[in-house]
Amino acid sequence: METVHVAVDPAFEVSPVSRHLFGSFVEHLGRGVYTGIFEPSHESADADGMRTDVLALVKELGVTVIRYPGGNFVSGYRWEDGIGPVENRPTRLDLAWHSTEPNTFGLDEYMRWAASAQVDTVMAVNLGTRDVPEALDILEYCNIASGTTLSDARRVNGANSPYGITLWCLGNEMDGPWQIGARSAREYGRMASRAAKAMRMLDPRVQLVVCGSSGSHMPTFGTWERTVLEETYDDVDYISAHAYYAETDGDLGSFLASAVDMDYFIDSVVATSDEVGVTKKSAKKIMISFDEWNVWYQDRAPSAPPSGDNWPIAPALLEDRYTVADAVVVGSLLISLLRHSDRVRLACLAQLVNAIAPIVTEPGGRAWRQTIFHPFALTARYARGVVLQAPVLGPGYTTDKYGDVALVDAVATHDSDNREVAVFLVNRSQDGPTRVELELGAELRGARIVEALHYSSPDPYWVATADDPDGVLPRPFAPAVTDTMLSVELPPVCWAMIRISYR
Ligand code: AHR
C-alpha cells in the first residue's frame, strides 16, 4: 500500500475561511425554480408556494449565499416582468434555454425564499440585452428605502424594508459566443465600468463582480481577464471564474485530478489580475468569485435544450445524476477553493435544485440528496476559523490530462475559539487504499478525534435515486492515534473529513 504524509499545523495559515465559499446558484433553468424550489400545488408548499421539503434540504446543505437569477438566463431577462400582481405578469420566451418563462416566480418571491433559507444573495444584472439604466433600476428597486417610483413599487409589492443586497454580478459569461449579447473584452469592460460607477453612485455599499472567462479552455482566457480588468480595476471587487468538470472517455484518473485544473485556473487569474494591478500601481487586490463550479456532463442528453417550436415551461434540463466518484471530485474542488481562500472569497456550486444539483425533486413528489450533497454539506458545516495549508508528501500518478498529480490532496481549517481542526482529504487512487499519516504540529500534540467520516463505495459509479437515496452515506472510521500522528487507511476513490480537538 502507498503511504503519504500530510502536515497539519496551525502555523500554516492561509486566511480566514470565507463563509461565502459555500454558495450555490438558482437560475431560471429547467426545473431549478419551477417544481424545484417553487411548486404551489405541492403538498409541502408554504403560503408562498415554496416547497418546504426542499427548503429543509437547502438548510441541511449549509448553503450560505445564492446567486440569482442566472446564468445565461439573465442575459435576456427583464427583471420587472417578475414583480407585481402575478396575473399581470407577461409570459416570455427564454432564449438561453429555449423555454417559456411564466414569470410566476420573480425577484420578490426569490427574496422571500432566500430569507426563509437564511442565505445571502448575489444578484446578477442583465448586460446582454440591457445596459446601465436597467442595472440602476433593479438596484433602486432592491436597495433604496422609499420615496422613488421603484422603491415605492417594492413596498407596494410587500417588501417594506429595502433588501440591502450588496453582492452584484455585472452580467454573465460575456465572453461566451452562446451568451445573448456577448461582447469583446474591451467592449464589455467599458460597459461594466460604466455600470459599476453608476451603481456605486446609487449605493456605495455594493460589492461588484465583473465577468471573467467562462472557463480556462476559452481561447481568450487570460487576455479576457487582462483587458476587462484594464477597464474595470478601480470599479470592481471581484472577477468571476466558472469551471465544470466531467469524466470523459472513461478516464477516471484525470477526472479525479480535476482540482489540479481548478488550482491552475485560480493561480492564473490571480497572476493576471495582479499584473494589471502592478501596471496601475494599485495597492488594491481583486478577489475571485468562483460563482459557477461543479461536475457537469454537458455532452449528455439531459443537457440538450428543446428546439424548434417546442418552448416548454420548466422542462427537465441538465438533470445529471451524480456518482460517488463525482462526489469525490466535488469534495476535492472544495479543497482547492479553501486552499485559495486568500483570493477566492465567494464561490457558488452550480446549481442548487434539479439542474446539475445536489438536490433533486419529483414534481408533486419526493425530494432527495444526490451524492455530491454529502462532501459539500460536511465541508460547509465544519470548515471554520482559518484555512491551513496541509502539504502532502508522497507518491503520485500520471494522468492524460494533467501529467503527474498527487495521489492524495488535503487542506485543513483551524477553529481556535473551539480548539478544533478539521482536515479534508481526497484519495485519488483507483487501485486500492492509501495509508495517510497526518503529522501534527506541536500545538496539536495529544489531540483527540472528534469525528472521522469518509465517503466512498466499492462501486464508484453508484448513484442515489428517489427509491434509494441513502445507499452510500458518509461513514465513520477510526484513525489510529499517537501523540504526534494520526494514521488512516483511505479506501480508493474516497473523500474524507477528520475533526480533531486539542487542549
Ligand atoms: O449553470 C449552467 C450554465 O452554465 C449557466 O447558465 C451559464 O452561466 C454556464 O454556461
Side-chain angles (χ1 to χ4, degrees), residues 232-250:
T232 59
Y233 202 88
D234 296 331
D235 305 316
V236 301
D237 303 283
Y238 296 86
I239 185 160
S240 71
H242 293 178
Y244 293 101
Y245 298 96
E247 182 182 342
T248 50
D249 305 322

Side-chain angles (χ1 to χ4, degrees), residues 25 27 29 71-72 97 172-173 244 292 296 318 351 356:
F25 180 25
E27 176 168 4
L29 188 186
N72 296 339
W97 300 107
N172 176 68
E173 293 190 348
Y244 293 101
E292 288 187 31
W296 178 11
L318 281 58
Q351 299 195 0
I356 44 174

Side-chain angles (χ1 to χ4, degrees), residues 405-421:
V405 304
L407 201 57
V408 166
D409 198 9
V411 75
T413 57
H414 178 208
D415 176 358
S416 55
D417 290 345
N418 293 308
R419 302 180 82 75
E420 269 201 29
V421 168

Side-chain angles (χ1 to χ4, degrees), residues 115-166:
S116 305
Q118 296 163 354
V119 295
D120 294 336
T121 292
V122 188
M123 189 65 78
V125 301
N126 173 358
L127 292 186
T129 56
R130 301 190 127 184
D131 209 313
V132 179
E134 295 89 351
L136 290 174
D137 284 351
I138 184 173
L139 183 60
E140 178 185 323
Y141 184 85
C142 289
N143 284 10
I144 296 299
S146 64
T148 67
T149 301
L150 290 169
S151 58
D152 288 341
R154 184 201 65 242
R155 287 158 57 98
V156 169
N157 292 336
N160 206 32
S161 300
Y163 292 129
I165 300 169
T166 51

Side-chain angles (χ1 to χ4, degrees), residues 302-372:
S303 289
S307 57
D309 293 335
N310 183 24
W311 297 83
I313 295 175
L317 263 181
L318 281 58
E319 298 208 5
D320 284 4
R321 293 293 178 261
Y322 290 118
T323 66
V324 170
D326 295 330
V328 171
V329 169
V330 163
S332 74
L333 295 172
L334 281 164
I335 289 173
S336 171
L337 291 169
L338 278 167
R339 175 165 44 234
H340 291 95
S341 58
D342 55 334
R343 295 303 288 268
V344 182
R345 303 298 294 164
L346 172 62
C348 303
L349 176 73
Q351 299 195 0
L352 186 64
V353 184
N354 289 327
I356 44 174
I359 298 167
V360 181
T361 68
E362 294 169 330
R366 299 167 286 186
W368 72 96
R369 302 164 193 80
Q370 295 227 61
T371 58
I372 63 171

Side-chain angles (χ1 to χ4, degrees), residues 164-205:
I165 300 169
T166 51
L167 291 161
W168 292 82
C169 291
L170 301 170
N172 176 68
E173 293 190 348
M174 300 306 294
D175 62 327
W178 58 86
Q179 199 69 217
I180 305 167
R183 288 175 174 71
S184 72
R186 190 68 65 193
E187 277 180 306
Y188 167 67
R190 288 184 178 154
M191 181 184 201
S193 170
R194 287 198 307 273
K197 285 187 171 82
M199 289 172 78
R200 278 195 203 287
M201 289 168 85
L202 196 143
D203 185 349
R205 296 165 304 175

